[in-house]
Amino acid sequence: MMQPDPTVPLLIEKEKKRQESTLTLIASENFVSAQVAAATGSLLTNKYAEGLPGKRYYGGCHIIDEIESLAIERAKSLFKVAWANVQPHSGSQANAALMMAVLKPGDKILGFNLAHGGHLTHGSPVNFSGRLYQASFYGVNPDTGYIDWESVAKKAKKERPAIIICGASAYSRDWDYIQLRAIADEVAAFLWADISHPAGLISQGLLNDPFPYCHFVTTTTHKTLRGPRGGLLLMGQDFDNPFGKTNRNGLLHKMSALLDAAVFPGTQGGPLEHSIAAKAVAFYEAMTHSFKCYARQVQKNAHVMAQAFLDEGYSILSGGTDNHLLLLDLYKQNITGKQAETVLEQADIITNRNLVPFDKNTPQVTSGIRLGTAAVTTRGLKEKDMLLIVEWIDYLLKNKDKDSQIKKVKQMVNAYMCRFPLTTVDGSVTE
Ligand code: DSN
């Protein structure tokens, strides 16, 4: 008989306690429902299913086909698009497949500067995207903290990229997809939105809709969308007319086949059908009224948190937020992002240090911390709780060398969070 593993179950239980008793403000994390977790941990992990529903390279796939087809149909309904591939193992994999389908090595790409809040897979030299393709970047206006669309247009005209990427890891403002599409059309580039962070809010119509304007959309499924860790590849609603008046070829007619092939066999092997089942469950949840209430509350909580920091005299990039996150610039307070992350973690408030645009500190140290409300909102925290969190953070940053004060806050955080147990996280948020 197989010996039970004496270690991993204990570590999982310990991690559960850690998640339960701490305050998660990492903007890219969330808590899945019991049914999403059950699908992720299901025996679907046993099955090989290379290929697509109805076109597999293995026998015994008829139930897997039903599951994956359901995930595809739900993804299409949720985002109101005609085509989806649910197989990417992660956001980075979705991005890799998209680039493989659309670009040749050496092609030019234009993305949002990583140091201003962009993402590694949008052309960073340390990532495949910056090694395989010639990347250039646009950034934020130093005076406003907003992306300046004029400067994106200038850059696009100068570089003439094959694809323009919009999307970020640490940008708290919405995107002007109409302007971006006009820019893309002018230089005959594809427009691609990576909505990994705000996907849950976009799915509920709470932010601008990229789908009518972008040729391609990629996302992770585990941030504001509150599904399992994974990726998703979608085509926009406008893929019959890819370059407006300057349409150069009929590539888009073949595009869905190219995208499918770029996922498998291009960049991945067997799909993770347990994750795909969990994505199907998450898409189902995202089409409920309860999820709409949840997404609205995420946005309200972020707004209240940002205002409370401003009222305390903190500097927030761009002066606020439209979405689920905000970036605190602590340079004026003479605290580095690293120090802030450390003192907050000592009190069980979990955040991540983050570069701010034009940062004078290194990426390891940084001047900022990024805070997001997706996870705490799932736990059931509302506006008044955001005020308390800001009070705690402010107190900790002002007392960062005082162990006994930090300990007191930690005890308060732990007691507070135990009022919102993980076992009751079922995805229902009421207004
Ligand atoms: N690491 C993710 C984030 O925190 O935004 C992006 O890949």
Side-chain angles (χ1 to χ4, degrees):
M1 204 182 103
M2 186 74 74
Q3 290 291 319
D5 180 337
T7 315
V8 170
L10 292 180
L11 289 173
I12 292 174
E13 194 49 36
K14 260 173 129 170
E15 172 60 11
K16 178 174 181 255
K17 288 203 174 107
R18 187 200 68 78
Q19 291 188 11
E20 200 156 45
S21 61
T22 57
L23 193 49
T24 300
L25 294 177
I26 292 181
S28 46
E29 291 185 6
N30 212 329
F31 298 101
V32 296
S33 67
Q35 54 182 355
V36 168
T40 310
S42 71
L43 48 63
L44 297 176
T45 193
N46 296 340
K47 189 72 195 96
Y48 245 118
E50 281 172 357
L52 285 166
K55 291 180 269 182
R56 304 285 189 184
Y57 291 86
Y58 289 81
C61 286
H62 55 288
I63 298 165
I64 293 294
D65 280 1
E66 276 187 56
I67 291 169
E68 189 167 333
S69 300
L70 187 62
I72 292 169
E73 289 312 311
R74 286 179 177 172
K76 283 160 48 178
S77 307
L78 177 63
F79 291 107
K80 299 177 190 63
V81 293
W83 180 88
N85 185 306
V86 295
Q87 292 189 358
H89 301 332
S90 68
S92 296
Q93 293 288 114
N95 293 355
L98 171 54
M99 290 164 116
M100 187 187 193
V102 174
L103 303 170
K104 296 183 302 305
D107 274 356
K108 289 184 169 184
I109 61 176
L110 174 61
F112 182 39
N113 190 342
L114 180 64
H116 289 201
H119 192 256
L120 277 170
T121 54
H122 300 174
S124 164
V126 297
N127 181 262
F128 76 90
S129 55
R131 296 182 64 168
L132 289 180
Y133 310 107
Q134 281 186 66
S136 57
F137 301 97
Y138 54 89
V140 300
N141 179 315
D143 299 323
T144 62
Y146 279 75
I147 294 168
D148 174 357
W149 307 116
E150 283 284 300
S151 76
V152 181
K154 255 194 214 156
K155 196 91 192 188
K157 278 184 212 156
K158 180 165 172 262
E159 299 292 340
R160 303 204 70 87
I163 198 161
I164 298 176
I165 312 162
C166 43
S169 266
Y171 183 63
S172 60
R173 294 303 182 179
D174 207 352
W175 294 76
D176 187 340
Y177 301 110
I178 299 177
Q179 286 234 41
L180 282 161
R181 176 58 188 262
I183 296 166
D185 279 349
E186 215 178 322
V187 298
F190 284 120
L191 183 61
W192 157 27
D194 179 344
I195 60 167
S196 290
H197 268 269
L201 305 187
I202 288 171
S203 73
Q204 305 305 308
L206 298 173
L207 290 169
N208 292 335
D209 185 0
F211 290 97
Y213 308 103
C214 296
H215 303 109
F216 309 105
V217 177
T218 54
T219 182
T220 54
T221 46
H222 50 273
K223 298 185 175 89
T224 52
L225 199 49
R226 210 171 58 185
R229 194 158 285 282
L232 177 63
L233 182 48
L234 302 156
M235 281 169 82
Q237 290 151 354
D238 184 26
F239 51 84
D240 284 338
N241 185 23
F243 299 116
K245 288 190 193 118
T246 57
N247 189 351
R248 294 181 300 201
N249 55 41
L251 188 63
L252 266 265
H253 299 295
K254 289 184 284 183
M255 191 50 82
S256 59
L258 286 176
L259 291 167
D260 279 334
V263 175
F264 170 82
T267 51
Q268 292 190 169
L272 310 178
E273 294 295 342
H274 53 300
S275 285
I276 289 171
K279 287 174 194 175
V281 178
F283 301 150
Y284 171 82
E285 289 179 355
M287 286 186 275
T288 61
H289 178 67
S290 162
F291 191 85
K292 186 171 269 303
C293 298
Y294 161 72
R296 279 198 200 118
Q297 190 66 48
V298 168
Q299 212 176 18
K300 269 191 228 163
N301 282 351
H303 188 77
V304 167
M305 183 183 278
Q307 192 54 52
F309 275 116
L310 291 172
D311 293 345
E312 289 296 336
Y314 283 87
S315 165
I316 295 182
L317 259 296
S318 82
T321 181
D322 296 328
N323 54 32
H324 63 298
L325 66 81
L326 52 110
L327 199 54
L328 277 190
D329 182 349
L330 299 169
Y331 195 73
K332 269 195 325 209
Q333 273 85 358
N334 205 21
I335 303 172
T336 66
K338 191 172 180 185
Q339 287 170 323
E341 182 191 300
T342 304
V343 66
L344 296 177
E345 181 158 6
Q346 283 164 356
D348 278 347
I349 298 178
I350 313 301
T351 64
N352 66 278
R353 63 181 176 279
N354 215 101
L355 284 174
V356 297
F358 314 101
D359 209 318
K360 296 188 178 64
N361 283 312
T362 63
Q364 272 311 316
V365 176
T366 82
S367 302
I369 50 168
R370 186 184 65 162
L371 306 172
T373 54
V376 285
T377 306
T378 299
R379 293 288 290 276
L381 275 63
K382 299 213 164 147
E383 288 91 326
K384 66 174 181 4
D385 307 301
M386 300 303 115
L387 301 179
L388 184 59
I389 292 172
V390 172
E391 229 177 81
W392 282 333
I393 293 178
D394 177 47
Y395 182 81
L396 289 163
L397 295 179
K398 287 178 176 148
N399 292 279
K400 67 177 174 13
D401 302 314
K402 300 188 184 141
D403 287 348
S404 60
Q405 263 85 339
I406 297 169
K407 214 168 161 188
K408 265 188 221 150
V409 178
K410 176 178 154 64
Q411 282 162 356
M412 287 193 278
V413 168
N414 296 154
Y416 203 78
M417 291 318 292
C418 286
R419 286 167 45 193
F420 302 92
L422 271 181
T423 44
T424 64
V425 170
D426 67 353
S428 43
V429 170
T430 50
E431 271 172 312

PDB file of all heavy atoms in Angstrom, residues 26-29 91-92 117-121 168-170 194 196-197 220 222-223 229 324-325 352 354 370, ligand 1:
ATOM      1  N   ILE A  26      -1.742  41.544  -2.490  1.00  0.00           N
ATOM      2  CA  ILE A  26      -1.024  41.379  -3.757  1.00  0.00           C
ATOM      3  C   ILE A  26      -2.052  41.465  -4.884  1.00  0.00           C
ATOM      4  O   ILE A  26      -3.028  40.701  -4.907  1.00  0.00           O
ATOM      5  CB  ILE A  26      -0.230  40.058  -3.769  1.00  0.00           C
ATOM      6  CG1 ILE A  26       0.902  40.180  -2.742  1.00  0.00           C
ATOM      7  CG2 ILE A  26       0.299  39.748  -5.170  1.00  0.00           C
ATOM      8  CD1 ILE A  26       1.811  39.015  -2.617  1.00  0.00           C
ATOM      9  N   ALA A  27      -1.816  42.419  -5.786  1.00  0.00           N
ATOM     10  CA  ALA A  27      -2.848  42.770  -6.772  1.00  0.00           C
ATOM     11  C   ALA A  27      -3.155  41.637  -7.742  1.00  0.00           C
ATOM     12  O   ALA A  27      -4.210  41.628  -8.373  1.00  0.00           O
ATOM     13  CB  ALA A  27      -2.406  44.007  -7.539  1.00  0.00           C
ATOM     14  N   SER A  28      -2.241  40.689  -7.880  1.00  0.00           N
ATOM     15  CA  SER A  28      -2.439  39.612  -8.851  1.00  0.00           C
ATOM     16  C   SER A  28      -2.961  38.330  -8.211  1.00  0.00           C
ATOM     17  O   SER A  28      -3.077  37.313  -8.882  1.00  0.00           O
ATOM     18  CB  SER A  28      -1.108  39.333  -9.560  1.00  0.00           C
ATOM     19  OG  SER A  28      -0.058  39.265  -8.619  1.00  0.00           O
ATOM     20  N   GLU A  29      -3.266  38.380  -6.902  1.00  0.00           N
ATOM     21  CA  GLU A  29      -3.752  37.157  -6.237  1.00  0.00           C
ATOM     22  C   GLU A  29      -5.237  37.253  -5.915  1.00  0.00           C
ATOM     23  O   GLU A  29      -5.809  38.334  -5.847  1.00  0.00           O
ATOM     24  CB  GLU A  29      -2.947  36.912  -4.956  1.00  0.00           C
ATOM     25  CG  GLU A  29      -1.507  36.527  -5.255  1.00  0.00           C
ATOM     26  CD  GLU A  29      -0.702  36.146  -4.014  1.00  0.00           C
ATOM     27  OE1 GLU A  29      -1.269  36.061  -2.911  1.00  0.00           O
ATOM     28  OE2 GLU A  29       0.517  35.955  -4.171  1.00  0.00           O
ATOM     29  N   GLY A  91      -0.575  33.094 -18.302  1.00  0.00           N
ATOM     30  CA  GLY A  91      -0.638  34.300 -19.129  1.00  0.00           C
ATOM     31  C   GLY A  91       0.578  34.389 -20.042  1.00  0.00           C
ATOM     32  O   GLY A  91       0.466  34.754 -21.217  1.00  0.00           O
ATOM     33  N   SER A  92       1.747  34.048 -19.502  1.00  0.00           N
ATOM     34  CA  SER A  92       2.964  34.120 -20.315  1.00  0.00           C
ATOM     35  C   SER A  92       2.884  33.159 -21.497  1.00  0.00           C
ATOM     36  O   SER A  92       3.332  33.480 -22.601  1.00  0.00           O
ATOM     37  CB  SER A  92       4.197  33.779 -19.468  1.00  0.00           C
ATOM     38  OG  SER A  92       4.353  34.740 -18.458  1.00  0.00           O
ATOM     39  N   GLY A 117       5.356  49.938 -15.228  1.00  0.00           N
ATOM     40  CA  GLY A 117       4.181  49.121 -14.862  1.00  0.00           C
ATOM     41  C   GLY A 117       3.827  48.056 -15.872  1.00  0.00           C
ATOM     42  O   GLY A 117       2.821  47.365 -15.712  1.00  0.00           O
ATOM     43  N   GLY A 118       4.642  47.907 -16.925  1.00  0.00           N
ATOM     44  CA  GLY A 118       4.345  46.899 -17.957  1.00  0.00           C
ATOM     45  C   GLY A 118       4.669  45.487 -17.506  1.00  0.00           C
ATOM     46  O   GLY A 118       4.888  45.236 -16.321  1.00  0.00           O
ATOM     47  N   HIS A 119       4.684  44.563 -18.472  1.00  0.00           N
ATOM     48  CA  HIS A 119       4.924  43.157 -18.115  1.00  0.00           C
ATOM     49  C   HIS A 119       6.122  42.595 -18.864  1.00  0.00           C
ATOM     50  O   HIS A 119       6.390  42.974 -20.012  1.00  0.00           O
ATOM     51  CB  HIS A 119       3.682  42.310 -18.418  1.00  0.00           C
ATOM     52  CG  HIS A 119       3.767  40.945 -17.819  1.00  0.00           C
ATOM     53  ND1 HIS A 119       4.035  39.818 -18.556  1.00  0.00           N
ATOM     54  CD2 HIS A 119       3.644  40.547 -16.535  1.00  0.00           C
ATOM     55  CE1 HIS A 119       4.069  38.766 -17.748  1.00  0.00           C
ATOM     56  NE2 HIS A 119       3.829  39.175 -16.513  1.00  0.00           N
ATOM     57  N   LEU A 120       6.813  41.667 -18.212  1.00  0.00           N
ATOM     58  CA  LEU A 120       8.000  41.018 -18.779  1.00  0.00           C
ATOM     59  C   LEU A 120       7.782  40.499 -20.200  1.00  0.00           C
ATOM     60  O   LEU A 120       8.660  40.623 -21.060  1.00  0.00           O
ATOM     61  CB  LEU A 120       8.368  39.804 -17.909  1.00  0.00           C
ATOM     62  CG  LEU A 120       9.190  40.032 -16.653  1.00  0.00           C
ATOM     63  CD1 LEU A 120       9.217  38.748 -15.838  1.00  0.00           C
ATOM     64  CD2 LEU A 120      10.605  40.456 -17.018  1.00  0.00           C
ATOM     65  N   THR A 121       6.609  39.900 -20.427  1.00  0.00           N
ATOM     66  CA  THR A 121       6.370  39.258 -21.730  1.00  0.00           C
ATOM     67  C   THR A 121       5.995  40.249 -22.824  1.00  0.00           C
ATOM     68  O   THR A 121       5.619  39.844 -23.914  1.00  0.00           O
ATOM     69  CB  THR A 121       5.248  38.202 -21.628  1.00  0.00           C
ATOM     70  OG1 THR A 121       4.098  38.840 -21.068  1.00  0.00           O
ATOM     71  CG2 THR A 121       5.655  37.026 -20.779  1.00  0.00           C
ATOM     72  N   ALA A 168      -0.885  45.899 -18.570  1.00  0.00           N
ATOM     73  CA  ALA A 168       0.107  46.214 -17.545  1.00  0.00           C
ATOM     74  C   ALA A 168      -0.028  45.297 -16.345  1.00  0.00           C
ATOM     75  O   ALA A 168      -1.022  44.585 -16.188  1.00  0.00           O
ATOM     76  CB  ALA A 168      -0.103  47.654 -17.095  1.00  0.00           C
ATOM     77  N   SER A 169       1.013  45.384 -15.508  1.00  0.00           N
ATOM     78  CA  SER A 169       0.976  44.684 -14.219  1.00  0.00           C
ATOM     79  C   SER A 169       0.757  45.657 -13.084  1.00  0.00           C
ATOM     80  O   SER A 169       0.339  45.270 -12.003  1.00  0.00           O
ATOM     81  CB  SER A 169       2.324  44.007 -13.962  1.00  0.00           C
ATOM     82  OG  SER A 169       2.297  42.704 -14.389  1.00  0.00           O
ATOM     83  N   ALA A 170       1.124  46.903 -13.329  1.00  0.00           N
ATOM     84  CA  ALA A 170       1.036  47.888 -12.250  1.00  0.00           C
ATOM     85  C   ALA A 170       0.669  49.251 -12.823  1.00  0.00           C
ATOM     86  O   ALA A 170       1.441  50.197 -12.730  1.00  0.00           O
ATOM     87  CB  ALA A 170       2.357  47.958 -11.493  1.00  0.00           C
ATOM     88  N   ASP A 194      -3.417  42.795 -23.311  1.00  0.00           N
ATOM     89  CA  ASP A 194      -3.206  41.778 -22.278  1.00  0.00           C
ATOM     90  C   ASP A 194      -3.951  42.279 -21.042  1.00  0.00           C
ATOM     91  O   ASP A 194      -3.502  43.198 -20.360  1.00  0.00           O
ATOM     92  CB  ASP A 194      -1.704  41.632 -21.998  1.00  0.00           C
ATOM     93  CG  ASP A 194      -1.410  40.606 -20.916  1.00  0.00           C
ATOM     94  OD1 ASP A 194      -2.345  40.238 -20.170  1.00  0.00           O
ATOM     95  OD2 ASP A 194      -0.247  40.170 -20.797  1.00  0.00           O
ATOM     96  N   SER A 196      -4.715  40.693 -18.270  1.00  0.00           N
ATOM     97  CA  SER A 196      -4.554  39.755 -17.151  1.00  0.00           C
ATOM     98  C   SER A 196      -5.029  40.331 -15.825  1.00  0.00           C
ATOM     99  O   SER A 196      -5.671  39.643 -15.046  1.00  0.00           O
ATOM    100  CB  SER A 196      -3.086  39.359 -17.012  1.00  0.00           C
ATOM    101  OG  SER A 196      -2.724  38.544 -18.091  1.00  0.00           O
ATOM    102  N   HIS A 197      -4.680  41.583 -15.562  1.00  0.00           N
ATOM    103  CA  HIS A 197      -5.088  42.167 -14.280  1.00  0.00           C
ATOM    104  C   HIS A 197      -6.576  42.513 -14.231  1.00  0.00           C
ATOM    105  O   HIS A 197      -7.292  42.047 -13.348  1.00  0.00           O
ATOM    106  CB  HIS A 197      -4.202  43.367 -13.930  1.00  0.00           C
ATOM    107  CG  HIS A 197      -3.029  42.961 -13.098  1.00  0.00           C
ATOM    108  ND1 HIS A 197      -3.067  42.956 -11.725  1.00  0.00           N
ATOM    109  CD2 HIS A 197      -1.810  42.496 -13.444  1.00  0.00           C
ATOM    110  CE1 HIS A 197      -1.920  42.524 -11.253  1.00  0.00           C
ATOM    111  NE2 HIS A 197      -1.131  42.235 -12.277  1.00  0.00           N
ATOM    112  N   THR A 220      -4.723  36.206 -17.918  1.00  0.00           N
ATOM    113  CA  THR A 220      -4.654  35.103 -16.970  1.00  0.00           C
ATOM    114  C   THR A 220      -6.071  34.901 -16.455  1.00  0.00           C
ATOM    115  O   THR A 220      -6.946  35.756 -16.646  1.00  0.00           O
ATOM    116  CB  THR A 220      -3.737  35.428 -15.774  1.00  0.00           C
ATOM    117  OG1 THR A 220      -4.167  36.654 -15.184  1.00  0.00           O
ATOM    118  CG2 THR A 220      -2.286  35.548 -16.200  1.00  0.00           C
ATOM    119  N   HIS A 222      -6.573  33.965 -13.118  1.00  0.00           N
ATOM    120  CA  HIS A 222      -6.546  33.847 -11.654  1.00  0.00           C
ATOM    121  C   HIS A 222      -6.461  35.164 -10.898  1.00  0.00           C
ATOM    122  O   HIS A 222      -6.284  35.160  -9.694  1.00  0.00           O
ATOM    123  CB  HIS A 222      -5.365  32.960 -11.243  1.00  0.00           C
ATOM    124  CG  HIS A 222      -4.058  33.350 -11.865  1.00  0.00           C
ATOM    125  ND1 HIS A 222      -3.651  32.880 -13.092  1.00  0.00           N
ATOM    126  CD2 HIS A 222      -3.079  34.174 -11.445  1.00  0.00           C
ATOM    127  CE1 HIS A 222      -2.467  33.389 -13.397  1.00  0.00           C
ATOM    128  NE2 HIS A 222      -2.107  34.188 -12.406  1.00  0.00           N
ATOM    129  N   LYS A 223      -6.540  36.276 -11.605  1.00  0.00           N
ATOM    130  CA  LYS A 223      -6.433  37.552 -10.868  1.00  0.00           C
ATOM    131  C   LYS A 223      -7.849  38.042 -10.553  1.00  0.00           C
ATOM    132  O   LYS A 223      -8.538  37.396  -9.777  1.00  0.00           O
ATOM    133  CB  LYS A 223      -5.582  38.532 -11.678  1.00  0.00           C
ATOM    134  CG  LYS A 223      -4.143  38.006 -11.880  1.00  0.00           C
ATOM    135  CD  LYS A 223      -3.257  39.004 -12.561  1.00  0.00           C
ATOM    136  CE  LYS A 223      -1.815  38.538 -12.644  1.00  0.00           C
ATOM    137  NZ  LYS A 223      -1.491  37.765 -13.833  1.00  0.00           N
ATOM    138  N   ARG A 229      -5.177  29.224 -11.560  1.00  0.00           N
ATOM    139  CA  ARG A 229      -3.967  29.763 -12.187  1.00  0.00           C
ATOM    140  C   ARG A 229      -3.920  29.270 -13.637  1.00  0.00           C
ATOM    141  O   ARG A 229      -3.918  28.056 -13.889  1.00  0.00           O
ATOM    142  CB  ARG A 229      -2.791  29.215 -11.381  1.00  0.00           C
ATOM    143  CG  ARG A 229      -1.469  29.845 -11.592  1.00  0.00           C
ATOM    144  CD  ARG A 229      -0.592  29.579 -10.389  1.00  0.00           C
ATOM    145  NE  ARG A 229      -1.027  30.428  -9.300  1.00  0.00           N
ATOM    146  CZ  ARG A 229      -0.741  31.724  -9.206  1.00  0.00           C
ATOM    147  NH1 ARG A 229       0.018  32.313 -10.094  1.00  0.00           N
ATOM    148  NH2 ARG A 229      -1.194  32.430  -8.200  1.00  0.00           N
ATOM    149  N   HIS A 324      -8.487  47.835  -9.851  1.00  0.00           N
ATOM    150  CA  HIS A 324      -8.427  47.108  -8.577  1.00  0.00           C
ATOM    151  C   HIS A 324      -7.112  47.347  -7.844  1.00  0.00           C
ATOM    152  O   HIS A 324      -6.849  46.688  -6.854  1.00  0.00           O
ATOM    153  CB  HIS A 324      -8.543  45.605  -8.873  1.00  0.00           C
ATOM    154  CG  HIS A 324      -7.384  45.122  -9.696  1.00  0.00           C
ATOM    155  ND1 HIS A 324      -7.125  45.608 -10.959  1.00  0.00           N
ATOM    156  CD2 HIS A 324      -6.370  44.251  -9.436  1.00  0.00           C
ATOM    157  CE1 HIS A 324      -6.033  45.057 -11.425  1.00  0.00           C
ATOM    158  NE2 HIS A 324      -5.554  44.220 -10.518  1.00  0.00           N
ATOM    159  N   LEU A 325      -6.244  48.201  -8.391  1.00  0.00           N
ATOM    160  CA  LEU A 325      -4.924  48.326  -7.769  1.00  0.00           C
ATOM    161  C   LEU A 325      -4.478  49.772  -7.677  1.00  0.00           C
ATOM    162  O   LEU A 325      -5.021  50.664  -8.345  1.00  0.00           O
ATOM    163  CB  LEU A 325      -3.887  47.480  -8.521  1.00  0.00           C
ATOM    164  CG  LEU A 325      -3.491  47.834  -9.950  1.00  0.00           C
ATOM    165  CD1 LEU A 325      -2.462  48.943 -10.011  1.00  0.00           C
ATOM    166  CD2 LEU A 325      -2.907  46.612 -10.636  1.00  0.00           C
ATOM    167  N   ASN A 352       3.576  43.546  -2.485  1.00  0.00           N
ATOM    168  CA  ASN A 352       4.866  43.414  -3.158  1.00  0.00           C
ATOM    169  C   ASN A 352       5.440  44.773  -3.497  1.00  0.00           C
ATOM    170  O   ASN A 352       4.726  45.703  -3.852  1.00  0.00           O
ATOM    171  CB  ASN A 352       4.789  42.523  -4.403  1.00  0.00           C
ATOM    172  CG  ASN A 352       3.962  43.109  -5.495  1.00  0.00           C
ATOM    173  OD1 ASN A 352       2.737  43.008  -5.486  1.00  0.00           O
ATOM    174  ND2 ASN A 352       4.612  43.739  -6.465  1.00  0.00           N
ATOM    175  N   ASN A 354       7.417  47.416  -5.700  1.00  0.00           N
ATOM    176  CA  ASN A 354       7.227  47.632  -7.128  1.00  0.00           C
ATOM    177  C   ASN A 354       7.963  48.894  -7.555  1.00  0.00           C
ATOM    178  O   ASN A 354       7.931  49.895  -6.840  1.00  0.00           O
ATOM    179  CB  ASN A 354       5.729  47.839  -7.400  1.00  0.00           C
ATOM    180  CG  ASN A 354       5.292  47.265  -8.723  1.00  0.00           C
ATOM    181  OD1 ASN A 354       4.719  46.182  -8.761  1.00  0.00           O
ATOM    182  ND2 ASN A 354       5.569  47.964  -9.804  1.00  0.00           N
ATOM    183  N   ARG A 370       2.848  47.939  -4.462  1.00  0.00           N
ATOM    184  CA  ARG A 370       1.608  47.782  -5.224  1.00  0.00           C
ATOM    185  C   ARG A 370       0.577  47.118  -4.324  1.00  0.00           C
ATOM    186  O   ARG A 370       0.890  46.134  -3.638  1.00  0.00           O
ATOM    187  CB  ARG A 370       1.909  46.895  -6.442  1.00  0.00           C
ATOM    188  CG  ARG A 370       0.769  46.756  -7.412  1.00  0.00           C
ATOM    189  CD  ARG A 370       1.118  45.788  -8.535  1.00  0.00           C
ATOM    190  NE  ARG A 370       1.309  44.429  -8.041  1.00  0.00           N
ATOM    191  CZ  ARG A 370       1.285  43.334  -8.810  1.00  0.00           C
ATOM    192  NH1 ARG A 370       1.123  43.446 -10.112  1.00  0.00           N
ATOM    193  NH2 ARG A 370       1.473  42.136  -8.296  1.00  0.00           N
TER     194      ARG A 370
HETATM  195  N1  DSN B   1       3.399  38.377 -11.620  1.00  0.00           N
HETATM  196  C1  DSN B   1       2.172  38.964 -12.109  1.00  0.00           C
HETATM  197  C2  DSN B   1       1.777  40.155 -11.331  1.00  0.00           C
HETATM  198  O1  DSN B   1       1.981  40.118 -10.130  1.00  0.00           O
HETATM  199  O2  DSN B   1       1.251  41.104 -11.868  1.00  0.00           O
HETATM  200  C3  DSN B   1       2.260  39.268 -13.552  1.00  0.00           C
HETATM  201  O3  DSN B   1       2.783  38.178 -14.228  1.00  0.00           O
END
